Amino acid sequence: MTGKYHRPHKWNWFLSKPAYMLFMIRELTAVFIGAYLILLLIMLAKLGGGEAMFSEWLVVLRSPLWMGLHFIALVASLWHSITWFNLTPRAMPFFIGEKRLADPLVATAMGYGPWLVISLVILWGVLR
Amino acid sequence: MGRSSTHQHDVLIIGGGGAGLRAAIAIAQENPDLSVACVSKVYPMRSHTVAAEGGAAAVIKPNDSFENHIYDTVSGSDWLGDQDAIELFVKEAPKELIQLEHWGCPWNREADGSVSVRPFGGMGTERTWFASDKTGFHMLHSLFQTTLKYDNITRYDEHFASKLLVDDGRCCGCAAIELRTGQMRAILGKAIIMCTGGAGRVFPFTTNGAIKNGDGMSMAYREGVALKDMEFIQYHPTGLPGTGILITEASRGEGGILVNKHGYRYLQDYDLGQPLDIHDPEHPRKRTMELGPRDKLSQVFIKEMQKGNTIDSKYGPVVHLDLRHLGEAKINKNLPFVRELAKNYAGIDPVYEPIPVRPVLHYFMGGIDTDLDGATSLRGLYAAGECACVSINGANRLGSNSLTELLVFGARAGASAARFAMDNPDFNVASLEAQAEDESKRIRRDYIETGTTPGTSSGDGGSERIATLRNEMHEAMEGGTGIFRDEKSLTDTCQKIAELRDRFKIVRIDDHTNSFNTDLTAALELGFMLDVAEAIAHSALERKESRGSHQRLDFTNRDDENYLKHSLAFWQDDDAPPRIEYKPVTITKWPPGKRTYGKGSGLTKQENETT
Amino acid sequence: MPDEKTITLEIFRYHPESDAGPRFQSYDVPYNEDWVVLDAINWIKDTVDGTLTYRWSCRMGVCGSCGMMINDEPKLSCAVFLKEYYPNPIKVEPLVNFPVERDLVIDMDGFMEKLQSIKPYIIRDDVNDTSQGEYKQSPAELAHYKQYTMCINCMLCYSACPVVGSEPDFLGPAALALGHRYNKDSRDQGFDQRMEKMMEHEAVWGCTFVGECSVVCPKNVDPAGAIQQAKASAAQEYFKGFIMPRGAGK
Ligand SMILES: Cc1cc2nc3c(=O)[nH]c(=O)nc-3n(C[C@H](O)[C@H](O)[C@H](O)COP(=O)(O)OP(=O)(O)OC[C@H]3O[C@@H](n4cnc5c(N)ncnc54)[C@H](O)[C@@H]3O)c2cc1C
Ligand code: SF4
Ligand code: FES
């Protein structure tokens, strides 16, 4: 009797299937969102340090390196938001009578819609 | 095959399908002090109740009455059902289905929150409760999950019962192989309930799953309990060719029609009433045409085939079941599983194309002879569900009566077994353990160690393969005990089965190890099936009349004078055929009449008799 | 029949009485385009090797017995056709993330315990007698939980879930979806009792929403969705717990 056989669980399991890879990417993109939040905090601190300090900081931000990082963070957060928006209908189903609302509808109502509205409001605030 | 261990309980249930689980809950609920054991060769939710699709019948709506359900069932049974049993069944049915509702079964609902019912074959009023078209699945899971609530139910999952343990004329347990280890266990109870289901796998082309091998029927039979009405075997008119997967009668209850190769609704030519237009609000009319009883619809298929009106397919002749006019929305709501099955296993989407179907072996009306409490002639042994024969189904079961039956009689058998256990607490453990030990040795000797039975013609290690014997049995049963039978076909089958039983003694299995030996269980199952097959063939040979699902080409009429009685097949020994006896049918208020399905469509008893 | 078409199945074999580890055995099976993988395995058992061990029963995708890894994907072997792979060989293994008993048979004791632990049955304070008729439930109320009743306990989702792989105690998709099914049933009043279990660390919060459980689920149960909904309920309960300690409300 040698008993039951336990197959090993590999540490690099996420390489075994594209779907797992996509999951890992979604999780990793959160790092960029976090990093960007820290950046915003720094920005606030600089703003608190007076106008000169803030302008100096803005110049630094215009460097190609910072622009590149911003671009990556933008792509990452878009990726993150879109994948999450697409998942929301499953976490928050809506029913009208016995009919469940179609997923894209809920994703729009819960995710894309508010996102668009808030973005427009901000844009309006900035451009005004 | 290790040494045996012993486990004692108050009530032991063999079988974890609908009947077994219902019995277990009945006992656990009523008598929390009793310890209940449930032995099952598969995890309970794998039991074949899971495959039932259409629904379960019980009177619940104001337009219906007990009287109507009783009459439909009595006439459906071609007057071979016991009327006291049917009356009791019909009256307890609503309570049982409501109980299941209370346990969480997701029955389809009307707008007012009450349960929905649908029409079903042979039923004059719509009274079939349903959970879309996975009724058995939902019932089984609701029952199984409900058993998880009770601490006094001990499950022996994946334990294969191979023999009943009987001491001094009383059944007190079973010998069961724990599949994981191959160890033999003596599982003892003060009362035993057999709930092992049907035996469809005796036939090659069946809706039944791999586990339906008549195990319990054979085990009881070998202990001297009669198998009753075994010649009555139901062919369901609409199975998928090739696989035998069932397309539920609910598809006709919802309005589906059967057409032959000319697109003609051929049922109208066979005394099954006149078709209504498919868009007529009255369609489908109850107890007519597509909603006729299964025995008739399957027989009519053969007649159409003989006329050359069926359609040729890769898997032989078929007719078409057309659901297209129901539309996608209705199909998705009430028949989603039918759509899934047809798409997956026939490559056909019923929303756009008709489904090819042909009759397929489906259900055993016969089984272990019991009384209204599920008690058998062997003290301490009870039976319920498809393995039992009370009998409410007589010569032909109506669709959707059997899910209800397993609840009603599962619960009753549970209650009576519990009473028996409390009244008869003592038994001889040592003797039972010794029997289990003997059973363990027998299995070692006959299968595991050498694969041969000493003293038989081979003597050199066995030579017959399981699959070969099984295939030959299938051929013999299909050839001889199919939809139409006669003296010659039945005699040939009897002889063939006797030969196979003899050859089975030198069956050889490939697997000589202990753990999870499914080669061994397949061999044991083949042994059970051969017993059942023999009982079927001999019972059929002896019944020289045509009634319900038993149609003899050489005796084409029903003969109430000589055969308004139940057949009883008794086991003799390993080399002799069964002894066939008879016992009377209980007739109370419904004297035998003519079974009409055409003219008197959907009418009550009185109306039917006057038309 | 020399030119009869065949297809090769590479099958995982392991015997607990004699093998230290698994091996693969290759079988050539006659190719029939109507056959599912299970038919091919049955053919092997019947004609060439009776020792091959696996579970099956209904062969119609409803009993949940026959889950296997087929070319690394968890599938019901009775619902996947040879023609999807022909002429390439098919690799058949037992479901991953479970201990193997023998060949294609896995040990599902843990799964059964998980199911039981979430109390998958109707719990009520006031139980009606059956003579009072059915509990009323509208089609809309039914629709809210019906999807989660469709689980056949095939455990494919456990094989697809990397959390189950790394944390064997994680309750896992099917069990959590079943808990959610009863929580959402208008007839049930057992939410509080059930949530106690479902809010534990190894329960809803173990899920990282990889979502593969729902992709492989043959019955469209969407256990991943159910778990996220259960998380929302758990979070609500958690905050309620701050305002009103558990049990104080009653
Ligand atoms: C495809 C299909 C559709 C159907 N649809 C309907 C329908 O719509 N309406 C209706 O009323 N009826 C229907 N029926 C009939 C009905 O489903 C069955 O008659 C009923 O489910 C049988 O239930 P049971 O509990 O007696 O047996 P099963 O559910 O078959 O359970 C048998 C149990 O016994 C156990 N067992 C067997 N042998 C052994 C052994 N040797 N040792 C240990 N355990 C053993 C098994 O493990 C299993 O747990 C249908 C049947 C089929 C096949
Ligand atoms: S949720 Fe789906 S995959 Fe998981 S066990 Fe249930 S049916 Fe199988
Ligand atoms: S054999 Fe039942 S699900 Fe495949």
Side-chain angles (χ1 to χ4, degrees), chain B residues 169-211:
Chain B
R170 173 175 170 202
C171 183
C172 301
C174 72
I177 304 163
E178 181 190 32
L179 292 181
R180 175 176 293 164
T181 59
Q183 202 197 55
M184 182 61 86
R185 293 185 156 180
I187 306 179
L188 310 183
K190 298 166 189 163
I192 316 299
I193 313 176
M194 192 63 92
C195 300
T196 50
R201 287 273 158 175
V202 168
F203 289 79
F205 185 65
T206 172
T207 61
N208 286 199
I211 59 170

Side-chain angles (χ1 to χ4, degrees), chain B residues 375-535:
Chain B
T376 71
S377 60
L378 177 59
R379 271 187 80 223
L381 180 68
Y382 295 75
E386 194 174 336
C387 73
C389 178
V390 182
S391 139
I392 66 157
N393 299 311
N396 172 62
R397 168 180 76 105
L398 293 189
S400 77
N401 264 352
S402 103
L403 287 175
T404 312
E405 175 184 1
L406 60 84
L407 296 173
V408 169
F409 291 100
R412 286 184 72 87
S416 9
R419 275 195 302 276
F420 182 89
M422 290 190 293
D423 295 344
N424 300 276
D426 304 315
F427 52 74
N428 182 346
V429 175
S431 145
L432 300 165
E433 280 178 330
Q435 289 178 38
E437 202 63 48
D438 287 348
E439 174 67 354
S440 173
K441 287 195 192 119
R442 176 185 78 95
I443 290 175
R444 273 215 89 78
R445 184 191 64 220
D446 290 358
Y447 302 101
I448 305 273
E449 265 159 15
T450 56
T452 176
T453 306
T456 56
S457 46
S458 128
D460 60 354
S463 50
E464 294 284 0
R465 254 198 109 71
I466 298 171
T468 314
L469 297 179
R470 196 166 50 207
N471 291 343
E472 289 183 33
M473 171 186 72
H474 283 164
E475 223 171 278
M477 293 305 284
E478 189 170 50
T481 59
I483 296 177
F484 289 101
R485 307 152 172 192
D486 63 26
E487 173 103 25
K488 169 145 190 351
S489 76
L490 288 165
T491 316
D492 290 351
T493 303
C494 290
Q495 275 165 7
K496 182 69 189 181
I497 300 293
E499 173 206 315
L500 291 173
R501 279 183 62 195
D502 201 44
R503 285 164 59 194
F504 176 68
K505 293 174 188 158
I506 52 165
V507 74
R508 180 183 182 76
I509 63 175
D510 293 348
D511 194 339
H512 302 286
T513 67
N514 295 316
S515 171
F516 233 102
N517 190 337
T518 49
D519 207 19
L520 169 64
T521 52
L524 295 171
E525 285 168 345
L526 175 60
F528 293 145
M529 288 194 286
L530 286 169
D531 284 350
V532 171
E534 189 159 58

Side-chain angles (χ1 to χ4, degrees), chain C residues 23-216:
Chain C
R23 66 197 158 85
F24 277 86
Q25 191 165 351
S26 173
Y27 299 93
D28 288 333
V29 176
Y31 173 70
N32 178 333
E33 63 170 12
D34 289 344
W35 273 10
V36 291
V37 172
L38 179 63
D39 291 323
I41 296 174
N42 280 335
W43 182 88
I44 296 170
K45 177 132 189 130
D46 284 350
T47 53
V48 299
D49 187 351
T51 67
L52 184 61
T53 306
Y54 51 98
R55 293 185 175 112
W56 72 291
S57 174
C58 72
R59 56 80 180 88
M60 57 192 276
V62 69
C63 76
S65 310
C66 70
M68 300 172 191
M69 301 302 291
I70 301 196
N71 282 0
D72 296 317
E73 292 285 338
K75 300 258 189 202
L76 294 179
S77 55
C78 71
V80 40
F81 286 80
L82 296 181
K83 64 178 172 227
E84 294 170 36
Y85 303 92
Y86 184 80
N88 301 316
I90 304 176
K91 187 172 73 172
V92 185
E93 296 166 275
L95 288 179
V96 296
N97 297 340
F98 293 95
V100 180
E101 303 246 24
R102 177 177 177 181
D103 295 348
L104 302 171
V105 173
I106 50 103
D107 171 4
M108 53 185 280
D109 287 355
F111 174 77
M112 297 299 281
E113 281 160 24
K114 288 173 187 176
L115 278 191
Q116 181 158 16
S117 74
I118 52 97
K119 304 188 188 235
Y121 33 80
I122 298 278
I123 298 175
R124 284 179 71 99
D125 308 328
D126 54 323
V127 177
N128 279 11
D129 190 79
T130 49
S131 62
Q132 294 165 268
E134 69 265 44
Y135 297 131
K136 295 283 189 262
Q137 181 168 67
S138 70
E141 285 169 329
L142 173 66
H144 275 75
Y145 71 91
K146 181 72 190 275
Q147 182 177 18
Y148 311 117
T149 66
M150 302 303 280
C151 171
I152 60 172
N153 298 347
C154 66
M155 303 173 291
L156 300 192
C157 51
Y158 283 68
S159 283
C161 176
V163 182
V164 173
S166 52
E167 288 184 51
D169 288 337
F170 174 48
L171 277 186
L176 288 168
L178 188 61
H180 186 64
R181 170 246 177 279
Y182 279 97
N183 283 344
K184 284 268 150 190
D185 192 322
S186 58
R187 296 166 291 187
D188 180 75
Q189 301 164 344
F191 179 82
D192 289 344
Q193 289 185 41
R194 221 168 274 120
M195 262 346 233
E196 260 166 46
K197 180 73 190 174
M198 291 173 69
M199 282 165 72
E200 280 174 12
H201 175 67
E202 303 294 3
V204 288
W205 302 117
C207 169
T208 53
F209 208 171
V210 178
E212 274 300 283
C213 53
S214 297
V215 174
V216 302

Side-chain angles (χ1 to χ4, degrees), chain B residues 30 73 274 296 458 581:
Chain B
E30 300 303 322
T73 306
Q274 283 308 305
K296 302 235 180 224
S458 128
E581 294 180 8

